[in-house]
Amino acid sequence: MDEKVLDYHDILLRREDVGLLDGPFWLNDQLIGFYFQYLPGEKYPNLQGNVMLIAGSVSFLLSHASESDACLTIEKLGISGNRAALFAVNNNPHVHSPNGGSHWSLLLCLVNKHQFYHFDSLGHTNHASAKRLAKVVEKGVGRESMEFVDAKVPQQEDGWMCGYYTLQIADTVCDLASIGTLEDAGCLEQCVKFDIEKKLPSMQEDLKALINKLSQGKARRVNAQV
């Protein structure tokens, strides 16, 4: 059985998941989901009630559910009560294959500004998937004719870094939200560009180190209780 590495809130990372960080591999939903829980849970705790991060599995369900079911889910999540929501977008078109797809991107919903920003590191690869999700979210939060912006974002030069781009952009958005400058469109795109150029090169190793740190910390707490 695949060894457990980290049990983090609703996410269980196994050795196979963490092994994806050792090479030129596409990040899976477990790793995306882990970082989406880590950002508001530990790195930016002041985001609670202001910014919500929606992992790829939930984004996928929203995109492929009936309108009524999707709207009900969005209502239960409480997205409309937040200033912003971030969605991990996958281009998987097959509802019966939730682990499919070949590309990640990030969709930012600024609820009060009636705007969506889509950050895609590979041209318009996920444009259709992001637009479909945006239409669902628009109905779910009770807004009409929300603006959809294809944000400017540095482009990847390989076929596997999209997940890292998505996580880094999500981190940048959360950072801006934590200091109250998220809704400045010019600042948003400039900061995304700056952080990708400066921080993305080390993100693979940083993510491995973070998971190792959290795993060791949890192990020490368990041992202390024995």
Side-chain angles (χ1 to χ4, degrees):
M1 188 174 181
D2 198 5
E3 178 187 355
K4 296 179 182 179
V5 175
L6 178 64
D7 191 348
Y8 189 82
H9 299 293
D10 297 331
I11 299 294
L12 177 62
L13 294 179
R14 296 185 178 275
R15 184 63 57 192
E16 182 180 5
D17 302 315
V18 179
L20 296 174
L21 301 172
D22 289 330
F25 303 122
W26 191 77
L27 297 187
N28 65 8
D29 190 70
Q30 290 298 100
L31 290 167
I32 299 289
F34 156 72
Y35 205 66
F36 269 40
Q37 292 208 9
Y38 167 74
L39 288 175
E42 294 193 39
K43 189 169 185 179
Y44 304 104
N46 64 327
L47 294 183
Q48 298 289 345
N50 287 308
V51 179
M52 180 172 287
L53 283 82
I54 310 297
S57 57
V58 178
S59 296
F60 177 82
L61 290 174
L62 291 175
S63 294
H64 294 86
S66 66
E67 181 178 316
S68 59
D69 286 346
C71 288
L72 181 60
T73 299
I74 290 170
E75 181 180 353
K76 288 182 176 180
L77 289 172
I79 292 174
S80 62
N82 287 262
R83 287 171 50 211
L86 288 77
F87 300 84
V89 181
N90 188 294
N91 64 344
N92 180 16
H94 305 296
V95 68
H96 298 299
S97 301
N99 294 320
S102 61
H103 184 56
W104 291 108
S105 61
L106 185 78
L107 180 67
L108 166 63
C109 173
L110 295 176
V111 179
N112 295 332
K113 290 195 70 176
H114 296 209
Q115 288 179 319
F116 288 100
Y117 282 87
H118 181 225
F119 297 88
D120 194 330
S121 61
L122 199 60
H124 295 285
T125 301
N126 275 8
H127 180 83
S129 298
K131 285 283 286 186
R132 181 170 62 248
L133 177 58
K135 287 185 177 297
V136 171
V137 175
E138 181 180 82
K139 291 182 180 297
V141 298
R143 304 291 197 272
E144 293 184 3
S145 302
M146 293 179 70
E147 182 183 10
F148 186 97
V149 179
D150 286 308
K152 296 178 182 178
V153 57
Q155 298 292 285
Q156 65 187 81
E157 298 178 354
D158 51 60
W160 60 278
M161 283 289 288
C162 56
Y164 293 100
Y165 274 77
T166 297
L167 297 185
Q168 180 56 65
I169 296 168
D171 197 323
T172 300
V173 169
C174 288
D175 188 22
L176 293 174
S178 72
I179 59 176
T181 58
L182 176 58
E183 295 179 350
D184 182 338
C187 177
L188 175 60
E189 292 186 339
Q190 289 177 11
C191 289
V192 164
K193 181 178 185 295
F194 178 86
D195 283 354
I196 285 177
E197 292 174 349
K198 299 297 182 181
K199 300 178 181 180
L200 190 70
S202 66
M203 188 166 195
Q204 187 171 9
E205 292 301 319
D206 291 344
L207 192 53
K208 284 196 289 185
L210 172 62
I211 292 171
N212 184 54
K213 176 183 176 181
L214 293 173
S215 178
Q216 290 183 349
K218 186 165 186 177
R220 284 195 293 268
R221 290 193 297 273
V222 170
N223 292 334
Q225 295 171 0
V226 175

